């Protein structure tokens, strides 16, 4: 086993500590995004009733829900009302921390110090930090892709079946997490084919890729078993594995921007511009240009750089090269470029979709940083580059902190996308106060009239109240203790109400208002409690 100096291990421990603080501190601070709430409510059904069926049209794969259960069991939660934001966000936070360790494991075989740079840049990347605190599939998806990369490289280097099984496990989990796994696997296969061709026709060296069918079968068999296990809801929903294939017709239409998906259409340079420079109105300017710049150096170094001094070609018994020193950096560079180009060409774009190539960019940026600090002959030049990169890294860490807290739900943050306003908590507190003076407490009757279905994350924030109705149209009697609606239909609602109401304005997101009708007797009891001894509504 390779031994690492104490300083190296201590530095890695410090990086992991920084990553942990950025990912685990105050996980309940930011209000829940509508997508987070949607995922959380599906998890609550699985927790309370043991029910899950893969939906080929929405919500992605099932791993997130099942992998949350152990944390909820340990926390003692039995249903949605007992779940909290910090409980469920622990899952992406753990995957985010594991991704930092994987960065070091993937790059260290190429160059030890580059491994530390890669881990550091992964730890403080604004995008990777932000979505490590976000209850959606993205960060676990990136983790499984990195795991496949790590295990696949070690298998090709060692030809040990353990690494083949590890790669199969990651491949199965990758597929059971998100449908775009096919793009990731395609980019890996294409990059591997290009590297083999490069070594044969440009470097004039032959890499041995003779297949061990037993190992290949074992790895793919395990991947298939893992995928079927999750999509079949642990052998209780056999339609799931078939739907996991049929779903690609839906996602193909979505990628082309058909229907409502056109709302998410963006130009091809959207992701690059998001990373390079974002400035929206007054407020801070955002950039992960350090990772982009160092990543570009890493790409150039990986494609055309000289062999590193601390790596050697590995050969088999016949003397054929099974892992040449320059091949893996070249593979990383091509894999990343294929992902960047592929996802940029798809019209459908959301900020979290860039994570799948932001992470390998961090790996290449680690190589780029080591290129600047380790290959210079003059000591003072190495020192100068090191200080400058560390200073820029500190700026990235500060940016990640501001993006998670000060601007966690602020539209000026480049990763805030149709996010719930912090005003949702004022509404939640209002409903809590009204239930406190209601004769039936949490049995308070709430009606939600937002006919376009745009009411998330209300089901999460109103999860402790069992008498909440989400209506697609007006019922015969729309009266309730509290009515939440939209400005477009509030005028049509009022003539249908028989009771008297106090009306106040709340909001879901910036620019998305929510008129709130509170039954007059309940409002009076609430106001009386605020001004004097408690009493309940008649």
């Amino acid at each position: 086993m390779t031994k690492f100096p104490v300083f190296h291990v201590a530095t890695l421990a410090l990086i992991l500590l920084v990553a942990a603080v950025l990912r685990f501190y105050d996980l309940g601070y930011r209000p829940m995004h509508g997508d987070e709430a949607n995922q959380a409510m599906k998890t609550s059904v699985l927790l309370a009733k043991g029910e899950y069926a893969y939906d080929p049209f929405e919500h992605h794969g099932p791993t997130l829900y099942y992998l949350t259960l152990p944390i909820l069991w340990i926390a003692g939660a039995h249903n949605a009302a007992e779940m909290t934001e910090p409980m469920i966000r622990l899952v992406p936070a753990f995957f985010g921390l594991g991704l930092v360790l994987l960065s070091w494991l993937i790059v260290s075989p190429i160059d030890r110090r580059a491994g530390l740079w890669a881990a550091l840049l992964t730890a403080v990347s604004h995008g990777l930090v932000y979505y490590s605190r976000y209850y959606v599939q993205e960060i676990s998806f990136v983790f499984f892709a990195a795991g496949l990369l790590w295990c696949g490289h070690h298998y090709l280097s060692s030809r040990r079946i353990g690494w083949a099984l590890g790669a199969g496990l990651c491949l199965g989990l990758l597929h059971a997490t998100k449908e775009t796994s096919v793009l990731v696997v395609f980019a890996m296969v294409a990059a591997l084919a290009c590297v083999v061709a490069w070594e044969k026709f440009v470097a004039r060296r032959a890499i041995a890729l003779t297949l061990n069918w037993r190992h290949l079968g074992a790895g793919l068999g395990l991947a298939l078993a893992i995928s079927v296990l999750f999509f079949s809801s642990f052998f209780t929903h056999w339609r799931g594995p078939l739907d996991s294939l049929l779903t690609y017709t839906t996602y193909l239409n979505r990628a082309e921007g058909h229907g409502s998906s056109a709302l998410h259409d963006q130009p091809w340079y959207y992701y690059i511009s998001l990373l390079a420079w974002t400035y929206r109105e007054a407020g801070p300017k955002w950039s992960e240009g350090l990772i982009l710049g160092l990543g570009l150096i890493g790409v150039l170094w990986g494609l055309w750089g000289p062999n590193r001094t601390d790596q050697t070609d590995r050969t088999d018994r016949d003397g054929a090269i099974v892992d040449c020193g320059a091949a893996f950096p070249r593979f990383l560079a091509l894999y990343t470029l294929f992902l960047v180009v592929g996802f940029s060409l798809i019209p459908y774009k959301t900020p979290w979709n860039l994570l799948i190539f932001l992470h390998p960019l961090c790996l290449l940026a680690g190589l780029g940083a080591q290129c600047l600090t380790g290959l210079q002959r003059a000591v003072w030049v190495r020192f100068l580059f090191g200080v400058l990169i560390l200073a820029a890294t500190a700026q990235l860490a500060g940016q990640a902190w501001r993006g998670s807290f000060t601007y966690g739900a602020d539209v000026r943050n480049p990763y805030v996308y149709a996010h719930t306003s912090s005003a949702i908590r004022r509404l939640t507190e209002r409903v809590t106060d009204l239930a406190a003076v209601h004769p039936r407490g949490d049995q308070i009757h709430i009606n939600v009239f937002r006919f376009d279905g745009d009411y998330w994350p209300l089901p999460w924030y109103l999860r402790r109240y069992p008498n909440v109705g989400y209506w697609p149209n007006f019922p015969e009697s729309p009266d309730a203790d509290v009515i939440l609606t939209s400005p477009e239909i509030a005028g049509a609602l009022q003539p249908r109400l028989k009771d008297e109401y106090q009306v106040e304005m709340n909001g879901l997101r910036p620019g998305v208002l929510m008129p709130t009708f509170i039954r007059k007797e309940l409002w009076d009891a609430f106001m009386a409690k605020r001004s004097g001894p408690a009493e309940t509504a008649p």
Side-chain angles (χ1 to χ4, degrees):
M1 181 178 176
T2 305
K3 292 183 178 179
F4 291 92
V6 174
F7 175 78
H8 190 104
V9 175
T11 303
L12 177 63
L14 182 60
I15 292 170
L16 290 172
L17 178 62
V18 170
V21 171
L22 287 171
R23 283 156 177 78
F24 287 95
Y25 179 72
D26 201 359
L27 282 171
Y29 183 83
R30 180 176 44 76
M32 291 280 277
H33 187 280
D35 288 354
E36 286 186 285
N38 206 312
Q39 309 287 14
M41 294 310 292
K42 289 184 72 69
T43 300
S44 73
V45 173
L46 179 62
L47 174 70
K49 302 179 180 178
E51 296 175 358
Y52 170 79
Y54 173 64
D55 179 353
F57 304 103
E58 293 289 349
H59 307 298
H60 301 306
T63 55
L64 180 69
Y65 317 119
Y66 283 101
L67 295 177
T68 308
L69 291 183
I71 290 177
L72 297 176
W73 292 333
I74 293 171
H78 300 90
N79 51 52
E82 295 174 353
M83 293 165 57
T84 65
E85 288 93 335
M87 286 182 195
I88 58 175
R89 285 175 176 162
L90 275 175
V91 178
F94 274 120
F95 277 112
L97 183 62
L99 194 63
V100 177
L101 183 61
L102 267 180
S103 298
W104 176 74
L105 290 170
I106 291 170
V107 179
S108 284
I110 303 171
D111 186 292
R112 292 180 177 183
R113 285 163 293 186
L116 289 177
W117 283 118
L120 178 60
L121 292 166
T122 303
V124 300
S125 162
H126 178 196
L128 292 174
V129 170
Y130 190 79
Y131 289 110
S132 293
R133 306 169 56 86
Y134 214 95
Y135 189 65
V136 292
Q137 284 85 354
E138 295 305 321
I139 207 69
S140 56
F141 181 64
V142 176
F143 178 90
F144 295 137
L148 177 58
L149 201 63
W150 181 51
C151 293
H153 175 227
H154 277 278
Y155 174 72
L156 291 176
S157 303
S158 67
R159 304 302 169 97
R160 294 180 179 174
I161 191 170
W163 290 110
L165 292 174
L169 175 66
C170 291
L171 179 60
L173 290 169
L174 188 73
H175 179 240
T177 299
K178 202 172 175 192
E179 294 76 7
T180 47
S181 55
V182 293
L183 298 178
V184 176
V185 173
F186 177 80
M188 287 187 182
V189 173
L192 180 61
C194 289
V195 167
V196 172
W198 184 302
E199 292 299 322
K200 182 175 182 179
F201 298 111
V202 180
R204 302 290 182 185
R205 299 187 299 181
I207 297 180
L209 280 179
T210 51
L211 296 178
N212 183 319
W213 294 105
R214 188 169 63 89
H215 293 178
L216 184 65
L220 290 178
L222 182 59
L224 179 63
I226 293 293
S227 176
V228 170
L229 181 71
F230 279 98
F231 279 112
S232 69
S233 308
F234 286 74
F235 312 124
T236 61
H237 175 63
W238 286 106
R239 170 80 189 187
L242 176 61
D243 282 340
S244 74
L245 302 177
L246 298 177
T247 188
Y248 286 104
T249 57
T250 300
Y251 280 90
L252 187 60
N253 286 332
R254 182 171 299 174
E256 292 174 347
H258 293 167
S260 61
S261 299
L263 296 172
H264 304 283
D265 282 6
Q266 299 288 349
W268 66 268
Y269 52 83
Y270 172 76
Y271 292 130
I272 299 300
S273 63
L274 206 64
L275 289 172
W277 182 260
T278 301
Y279 178 60
R280 295 170 180 167
E281 305 173 0
K285 300 173 177 62
W286 307 84
S287 175
E288 297 197 66
L290 176 68
I291 294 173
L292 271 180
L294 291 176
L296 179 59
I297 295 174
V299 168
L300 297 175
W301 197 45
L303 290 178
W304 293 289
N307 287 340
R308 265 56 65 190
T309 56
D310 59 348
Q311 65 185 24
T312 57
D313 293 347
R314 298 178 185 177
T315 57
D316 60 15
R317 293 175 180 176
D318 300 325
I321 298 171
V322 294
D323 181 29
C324 68
F328 189 51
R330 189 164 292 134
F331 169 85
L332 270 180
L334 291 169
Y335 166 62
T336 307
L337 287 174
F338 290 155
L339 286 178
V340 171
V341 172
F343 278 84
S344 295
L345 290 177
I346 297 174
Y348 180 97
K349 295 181 177 69
T350 55
W352 46 82
N353 280 336
L354 65 76
L355 299 188
I356 193 62
F357 59 80
L358 176 57
H359 177 245
L361 258 179
C362 289
L363 304 182
L364 290 164
L367 293 174
Q370 180 56 22
C371 180
L372 292 179
T373 60
L375 296 184
Q376 305 298 326
R377 291 184 178 180
V379 175
W380 71 270
V381 176
R382 297 185 192 178
F383 180 78
L384 178 62
F385 274 125
V387 169
L388 289 175
I389 295 174
L390 279 176
T393 303
Q395 186 275 333
L396 277 184
Q399 180 177 262
W401 180 272
R402 289 193 300 278
S404 297
F405 295 101
T406 312
Y407 297 91
D410 193 308
V411 294
R412 290 170 291 184
N413 183 338
Y415 294 114
V416 169
Y417 190 76
H419 202 92
T420 308
S421 165
S422 56
I424 192 72
R425 288 185 171 135
R426 187 172 72 89
L427 171 63
T428 307
E429 290 172 5
R430 176 72 83 229
V431 173
T432 301
D433 292 340
L434 293 170
V437 297
H438 193 282
R440 291 180 292 147
D442 288 352
Q443 299 296 318
I444 186 173
H445 182 198
I446 302 172
N447 275 341
V448 179
F449 300 120
R450 295 185 69 90
F451 299 156
D452 56 0
D454 184 18
Y455 51 73
W456 290 93
L458 285 179
W460 170 259
Y461 283 102
L462 301 178
R463 64 192 184 283
R464 60 180 280 194
Y465 307 106
N467 297 320
V468 182
Y470 297 91
W471 297 88
N473 47 49
F474 289 127
E476 184 176 345
S477 176
D479 286 280
D481 297 313
V482 178
I483 300 174
L484 306 172
T485 185
S486 63
E488 294 78 15
I489 59 177
L493 170 66
Q494 284 185 305
R496 301 168 186 264
L497 298 175
K498 298 176 181 176
D499 297 332
E500 188 178 355
Y501 289 87
Q502 174 72 31
V503 182
E504 64 177 18
M505 190 62 72
N506 286 288
L508 270 184
R509 299 186 298 277
V512 181
L513 299 176
M514 191 163 52
T516 304
F517 292 69
I518 302 170
R519 199 192 298 269
K520 189 65 168 54
E521 293 88 347
L522 186 60
W523 175 261
D524 291 342
F526 164 66
M527 293 303 293
K529 182 181 180 182
R530 293 183 68 176
S531 58
E535 60 180 77
T536 57

